[in-house]
Amino acid sequence: MQLTPDQDIVLRLGDFSLNATVVNTWIVMAVLVGGSLLVTRNLRPDVPPNRWRTLLETIVQMIQSQIGEITQTSARHVMYFAGTLFLFIALSNLLLVVPGFSPPTSSLSTTVALAISVLCAVPLFGIASGGLGRYLRHFIEPSVVMLPFNVISEFSRGISLAIRLYGNIMSGAVIAAILLGVAPFFFPVVMDMLGLLTGLIQAYIFAILATVYISSATAADPPSNAEDTP
Amino acid sequence: MSIDWITVIAQIANFLVLVWLLKRFLYKPILNGIDAREAEIARRMNEAGAAREKAEAAEQTFQTQTTRLQSERDAAVAEALKATESERDSLLAEARDRLAREQKEQQTQLERERRKFVARMQQAGTQTLVELTRKALHELADDTLEAATVRHVMAQLVTRADDLVRAAGSERTAVATTREPLPEPLQAQLRTAMGQHLPDFTLRFATDPDQSPGLVLQVGGAQLSWTVDSYAEALQALLDDRLPNAGSSRGGALHDR
């Protein structure tokens, strides 16, 4: 039993091998970008929106609203980043129901990559928002003694993000695989339904936490109890 | 559980590419479309507001014009009614005047015709009277009207000789006027009577075609006479007494024809 799709090699060209994680990621990317292209290809203000455009507008406005509530600003670049995190993770987790499809998020490499992206994005957004000095200053607040703890806290965020997402998605897939062997007709369906719900919740949590981290780096007064979220 | 760092790097690259792609093909078009639609809605709302204000202003103008036109129409109707009444009164007055004038003219014409009719009837009555008198005298007394007339005047001359002398004053000529020349024997009889009762007077005979049949003896300012006119006038008075509307009825009948 494979716990991660990284070990599933889809294509091998000499020393270069292409595993299922990357291929499935491309599939998710293709679905997202292709759907967006199809919906937004004929976008004019004088044309009434169809149901797909309305769906996308609802999703985008929901993301914008959630991010706006957290950051108290209407910064679009945060939405581009956090929204893409949510859409990618959500769609990957939803595709769990497709037989033979291993969600990229069930790969620790993917979740680590996403966590690293968040870890890199937080200082970048913070520096872009208030400058390098202000960003570095928050590591020694409230005193210089807190510097190692703040650094550890900064990295532990990324690690917790990565492990949380990986654990939830991988465990769902593993449990579904185990139950498929035990009771092949009933439990996998229930577990898949549960996996869909868990996947959406995890996507929401991952995106929200990323937004909170970015917001804490860009805002003057970072919100408290950010880590209390499941 | 292992981490394939090459896959991690590839996934980071994939994710960054996905961020760019979704920014390019999803977020920007959707958000710009929403903004454009909101701007379009705001523009249309503004246009609708402006159109509404314009419509309200037009409605106000229309109501003002309607009120003004209605008042003008009412004034015009009132003025037309007043003019019509004035014209009606004028026409009625003119019609009444014309009717009164025509009635007056009609009455005048009627009176004129009545007078003509009376005159003709009087003339005819006179002529008839003369002829009847002549016929009666001829049949009953074998006499003529002229002889009877002369005898009547001669009888008056006997009774009124003194009055005639006083009325004549210094005038000493008497004139006997008839319509037709008086026969010579009758002239002689009258001359003889004048010689007996008015010896100082000279008698002269004259004719007057306009005079009524009969004899008029003029002595100064007095006269003795017998003419048919006096009888005709008496006949007319009698007719007027007995048939007061005869002339009018006859005239009206003539007028009606």
Side-chain angles (χ1 to χ4, degrees):
Chain A
M1 178 180 178
Q2 292 180 349
L3 293 179
T4 171
D6 293 351
Q7 300 167 1
D8 186 7
I9 303 302
V10 176
L11 181 64
R12 186 185 299 277
L13 294 173
D15 294 338
F16 179 75
S17 60
L18 197 61
N19 58 29
T21 302
V22 176
V23 172
N24 291 342
T25 299
W26 288 349
I27 292 173
V28 172
M29 289 171 63
V31 171
L32 283 174
V33 176
S36 300
L37 275 173
L38 284 175
V39 174
T40 61
R41 70 183 187 281
N42 190 19
L43 207 61
R44 293 207 312 268
D46 54 340
V47 176
N50 54 21
R51 61 185 67 180
W52 293 107
R53 179 183 165 187
T54 304
L55 175 65
L56 276 189
E57 284 183 359
T58 303
I59 293 172
V60 171
Q61 283 186 313
M62 184 188 69
I63 295 171
Q64 189 180 30
S65 170
Q66 290 289 323
I67 293 172
E69 287 180 4
I70 295 170
T71 62
Q72 300 297 323
T73 61
S74 60
R76 284 194 175 184
H77 52 279
V78 179
M79 191 196 71
Y80 298 152
F81 184 81
T84 305
L85 273 177
F86 173 77
L87 291 177
F88 174 70
I89 296 171
L91 184 62
S92 298
N93 295 343
L94 290 177
L95 290 178
L96 176 69
V97 297
V98 176
F101 184 85
S102 298
T105 46
S106 64
S107 162
L108 185 60
S109 302
T110 302
T111 57
V112 167
L114 295 179
I116 291 173
S117 297
V118 173
L119 283 177
C120 294
V122 170
L124 287 178
F125 281 114
I127 293 169
S129 172
L132 179 61
R134 181 185 169 192
Y135 175 73
L136 293 178
R137 210 167 28 248
H138 91 278
F139 281 101
I140 57 173
E141 289 176 351
S143 66
V144 182
V145 180
M146 295 298 293
L147 175 63
F149 301 103
N150 284 332
V151 173
I152 293 171
S153 169
E154 197 75 11
F155 281 98
S156 65
R157 288 174 180 174
I159 295 169
S160 67
L161 274 177
I163 299 299
R164 179 189 294 114
L165 180 62
Y166 165 74
N168 279 287
I169 304 304
M170 185 271 293
S171 63
V174 170
I175 291 171
I178 294 171
L179 291 177
L180 190 62
V182 175
F185 296 110
F186 178 70
F187 283 109
V189 176
V190 177
M191 289 308 297
D192 277 350
M193 292 174 61
L194 186 63
L196 290 177
L197 180 63
T198 308
L200 282 178
I201 292 173
Q202 289 304 317
Y204 177 76
I205 291 170
F206 199 100
I208 288 296
L209 287 179
T211 305
V212 169
Y213 298 154
I214 294 170
S215 174
S216 65
T218 54
D221 296 323
S224 60
N225 300 329
E227 282 293 321
D228 295 340
T229 322
Chain B
M1 185 174 72
S2 62
I3 298 175
D4 183 1
W5 291 105
I6 295 176
T7 303
V8 169
I9 294 171
Q11 291 295 78
I12 291 174
N14 285 335
F15 178 71
L16 293 179
V17 170
L18 182 62
V19 169
W20 182 83
L21 288 175
L22 289 186
K23 173 187 173 183
R24 172 74 176 77
F25 297 114
L26 177 64
Y27 299 122
K28 275 193 173 179
I30 290 291
L31 292 176
N32 290 340
I34 291 172
D35 292 342
R37 191 166 68 237
E38 288 178 351
E40 179 73 13
I41 290 171
R43 186 183 66 80
R44 290 189 182 182
M45 291 293 288
N46 290 332
E47 287 180 358
R52 184 187 182 89
E53 291 178 359
K54 190 176 179 182
E56 288 176 352
E59 183 185 8
Q60 184 67 28
T61 304
F62 172 74
Q63 288 181 348
T64 304
Q65 289 182 350
T66 302
T67 306
R68 182 173 57 80
L69 288 175
Q70 193 167 2
S71 62
E72 287 180 358
R73 186 194 64 185
D74 293 343
V77 169
E79 187 176 357
L81 284 174
K82 189 176 178 182
T84 303
E85 289 178 357
S86 176
E87 182 71 16
R88 184 195 63 187
D89 293 343
S90 174
L91 289 175
L92 284 174
E94 186 179 351
R96 287 195 193 97
D97 291 344
R98 189 170 63 248
L99 183 61
R101 196 166 54 247
E102 288 178 354
Q103 284 180 346
K104 190 175 180 181
E105 289 177 357
Q106 188 178 6
Q107 286 179 354
T108 303
Q109 178 71 17
L110 192 63
E111 181 65 20
R112 191 161 50 242
E113 289 185 0
R114 190 183 68 82
R115 286 177 182 173
K116 285 181 181 178
F117 172 73
V118 169
R120 282 199 305 271
M121 195 172 71
Q122 188 173 5
Q123 186 178 1
T126 303
Q127 187 68 28
T128 305
L129 184 62
V130 170
E131 289 176 357
L132 287 176
T133 305
R134 284 182 192 278
K135 188 176 180 181
L137 285 172
H138 179 70
E139 290 178 352
L140 297 178
D142 194 18
D143 200 358
T144 62
L145 179 60
E146 288 76 11
T149 303
V150 170
R151 279 198 305 273
H152 177 76
V153 172
M154 286 169 60
Q156 287 185 355
L157 184 62
V158 172
T159 59
R160 297 182 58 186
D162 293 337
D163 296 334
L164 290 175
V165 171
R166 280 194 299 272
S170 60
E171 181 65 36
R172 287 298 177 260
T173 302
V175 179
T177 307
T178 56
R179 185 174 181 179
E180 301 292 337
L182 198 61
E184 193 59 33
L186 294 178
Q187 289 184 9
Q189 286 182 11
L190 189 57
R191 195 174 290 115
T192 302
M194 280 292 293
Q196 292 177 357
H197 299 289
L198 297 173
D200 297 333
F201 287 81
T202 304
L203 180 58
R204 184 170 58 88
F205 291 93
T207 58
D208 183 2
D210 295 331
Q211 182 179 305
S212 175
L215 174 63
V216 175
L217 179 63
Q218 184 77 33
V219 180
Q223 69 175 17
L224 299 175
S225 66
W226 184 94
T227 60
V228 176
D229 274 350
S230 58
Y231 284 85
E233 290 172 0
L235 176 63
Q236 180 62 40
L238 185 64
L239 288 175
D240 288 343
D241 289 340
R242 296 187 178 179
L243 300 170
N245 295 325
S248 301
S249 300
R250 182 66 177 164
L254 286 174
H255 180 74
D256 291 341
R257 277 199 302 271

